[in-house]
Amino acid sequence: MADFRRDSIVDFCRDSGVPGYVAGISRAGEQTVFAHGTANLTTGAPMRDDTGFLFGSITKVMTATLVMRQAELGRISLDDRVTDLLPGFRLTTPGAAERIRVRHLLNHTSGIDAELFFPRTSYLERLGRDCGSLFPAGEHLSYSNGGMIVAGHLLEAVTGRAYHELLDTEIFQPAGMTAAGTGAEQAILRSTAIGHFPDPDTGQARPTRMFMLPPTWAAAGGTPIGTVEDLLAFGRAHLGAGLLSGESLAAMREINADPGTPGASPTGLGWLLRPIGDTIALTMTGASPGGVAVLAVLPEHDLVFAAYGNDPRALELHDDLLGRLAGDTGRPVWARQETDPAPYAGTYRSDQLRIDVRAVGGELEEQITYEPADPDQERILTGLAGGPFTAPPTRYVPVGAGLFAPAGLPLDGLPAHYLVSYHDGAAYRCAGGRMARRVLE
């Protein structure tokens, strides 16, 4: 990695308070890994080149890759109805599950309303009892943990093998991910980072109290653990080195769905397709309790970038390094527009979240309320978030038709993922690629 990038990592961690960071680049057959800081503030263990970490949602690309491998074997078609292959799959919205095809699970258009659904056991049974649909399959794009978890159960149904076994034998081993594993029992035998959260008063990092999400979230990213070199190996496999045919790799890179807003990326199959400069990066970010990983593949540059920071604030460094690698030194520029915010006021809901939106003085004010399904799920989300899931009301200013940016932040250079958008005549609100449906209350 170029010296200025090493310096930028050191400087960022010092200035932000992120305890540790590890990043790697593979380009045209050459590979570099650089680690800095501390992997675990409780023990003082250093972050090393070979330190393991939770992959988080990067696992979703692996799940999609497993489905594509089964499609190549003729066991699955992307146009199959999920209920035909997985009869136990149900949703509380009548007829919604029957409309979902396999490709809807992979491109985040299934509409399954289960983004924060954390049952410890019997995921499919609980899904059919407790979760409905945000929208009919294929009509919108909303980042979906539930869709990928259902894809994991689908893989088990059509192969007769456990998801973790498939991940190990069909992804880790053939891709050369030699240090990757699927649980804390393996991670404890090697150097492994834990997550940290910034103290809301001092900004100082404190260790997480929950290492990983429940095993029911395996296919969405709850359990797989490995190193930067493991992620680089997986990324190289998506440049054409051995996991899938060229035809399947190309299908995963094609735009399957586009939210039509700068605040969320179009999707392929598994991948988010993020425009950066003059190229498209195949990306996925992986959050874990107090940590954030990233994997990006830039086919036009023959480049793979992977990184992990053990504090959520590291996401800013991920974006900066990836932009530099892609040759994009520009920053988005937004401008306030005089738009009547009143049509967007109302109450919006998604799984266990309520968003109350008011029009105030030419701006929108949003209040997000978490309404946990049960105490156990509240404990899990609290562990993932590093504390109670509460936030004060947030003001937004209009910067386009149905597009709003947080008030009080500089619009010049504001990253697009800060934006909130409204769709279908304000029938839906989208933030971070996740939809909520407007309701009458």
Side-chain angles (χ1 to χ4, degrees):
M1 189 177 298
D3 288 340
F4 80 91
R5 293 194 179 100
R6 294 174 188 258
D7 291 345
S8 66
I9 290 172
V10 174
D11 292 345
F12 180 89
C13 290
R14 180 197 63 227
D15 295 341
S16 68
V18 170
Y21 194 84
V22 57
I25 299 170
S26 176
R27 181 174 4 217
E30 296 185 1
Q31 181 168 300
T32 303
V33 176
F34 175 68
H36 171 74
T38 305
N40 184 335
L41 287 180
T42 300
T43 64
M47 188 74 82
R48 308 186 323 194
D49 291 5
D50 64 348
T51 294
F53 51 85
L54 285 155
F55 291 160
S57 288
I58 296 171
T59 308
K60 291 180 171 69
V61 186
M62 300 174 190
T63 300
T65 303
L66 286 170
V67 172
M68 297 302 288
R69 284 173 71 87
Q70 294 304 311
E72 289 185 346
L73 293 172
R75 295 173 177 164
I76 292 176
S77 165
L78 296 181
D79 294 321
D80 284 342
R81 294 182 186 275
V82 175
T83 51
D84 290 342
L85 301 173
L86 189 63
F89 171 50
R90 292 287 183 272
L91 295 171
T92 59
T93 304
E98 290 75 13
R99 292 188 58 166
I100 297 174
R101 311 280 180 164
V102 173
R103 72 171 64 253
H104 295 141
L105 302 177
L106 306 188
N107 64 19
H108 298 278
T109 62
S110 70
I112 296 172
D113 189 12
E115 183 62 15
L116 301 178
F117 189 54
F118 295 105
R120 292 187 183 275
T121 60
S122 307
Y123 189 92
L124 283 183
E125 179 183 339
R126 289 285 307 276
L127 190 70
R129 192 176 74 211
D130 297 339
C131 295
S133 177
L134 278 170
F135 50 80
E139 291 196 3
H140 290 286
L141 189 162
S142 184
Y143 185 88
S144 177
N145 288 308
M148 284 295 173
I149 296 172
V150 171
H153 284 277
L154 178 65
L155 285 163
E156 292 182 330
V158 300
T159 65
R161 300 164 65 191
Y163 176 80
H164 279 165
E165 179 188 350
L166 289 168
L167 198 61
D168 182 49
T169 60
E170 302 293 320
I171 301 291
F172 293 168
Q173 292 182 29
M177 301 169 67
T178 57
T182 54
E185 296 87 352
Q186 296 163 299
I188 201 171
L189 302 176
R190 50 165 299 129
S191 172
T192 303
I194 69 165
H196 301 77
F197 293 97
D199 184 277
D201 296 321
T202 67
Q204 293 183 340
R206 58 173 177 78
T208 180
R209 296 180 180 177
M210 181 177 77
F211 178 58
M212 66 198 316
L213 290 173
T216 54
W217 269 53
T223 55
I225 302 168
T227 66
V228 156
E229 290 190 344
D230 289 325
L231 288 184
L232 293 176
F234 179 69
R236 287 195 303 272
H238 274 267
L239 287 173
L243 286 180
L244 294 171
S245 68
E247 181 180 359
S248 293
L249 291 175
M252 292 184 71
R253 300 174 185 175
E254 294 175 357
I255 293 179
N256 268 238
D258 190 338
T261 174
S265 297
T267 59
L269 298 174
W271 292 109
L272 304 184
L273 306 180
R274 178 178 170 184
I276 304 178
D278 61 356
T279 192
I280 298 294
L282 317 178
T283 68
M284 183 58 73
T285 301
S288 54
V292 58
V294 67
L295 175 64
V297 177
L298 284 69
E300 293 182 4
H301 295 257
D302 193 19
L303 184 149
V304 181
F305 169 65
Y308 170 80
N310 57 357
D311 182 307
R313 292 172 291 189
L315 181 61
E316 180 181 344
L317 181 56
H318 291 342
D319 286 343
D320 179 61
L321 293 175
L322 179 56
R324 295 192 201 184
L325 290 168
D328 180 26
T329 58
R331 303 281 288 181
V333 177
W334 314 102
R336 178 164 182 160
Q337 299 186 11
E338 295 306 317
T339 301
D340 181 10
Y344 308 103
T347 296
Y348 299 79
R349 285 188 176 274
S350 62
D351 176 46
Q352 302 175 70
L353 285 184
R354 170 181 173 141
I355 305 102
D356 291 299
V357 181
R358 298 192 307 133
V360 182
E363 300 177 355
L364 289 181
E365 182 178 86
E366 294 189 352
Q367 176 67 64
I368 299 178
T369 305
Y370 174 49
E371 300 176 334
D374 56 60
D376 191 44
Q377 292 195 59
E378 183 176 17
R379 282 191 293 270
I380 294 170
L381 182 59
T382 297
L384 178 61
F389 194 82
T390 59
T394 302
R395 285 285 188 97
Y396 288 86
V397 299
V399 294
L403 190 65
F404 294 80
L409 295 180
L411 295 180
D412 186 1
L414 183 73
H417 61 259
Y418 280 84
L419 303 178
V420 170
S421 58
Y422 291 83
H423 302 261
D424 284 11
Y428 293 92
R429 169 191 178 272
C430 181
R434 295 162 170 85
M435 288 280 199
R437 185 179 63 248
R438 191 170 188 167
V439 297
L440 298 176
E441 295 198 351

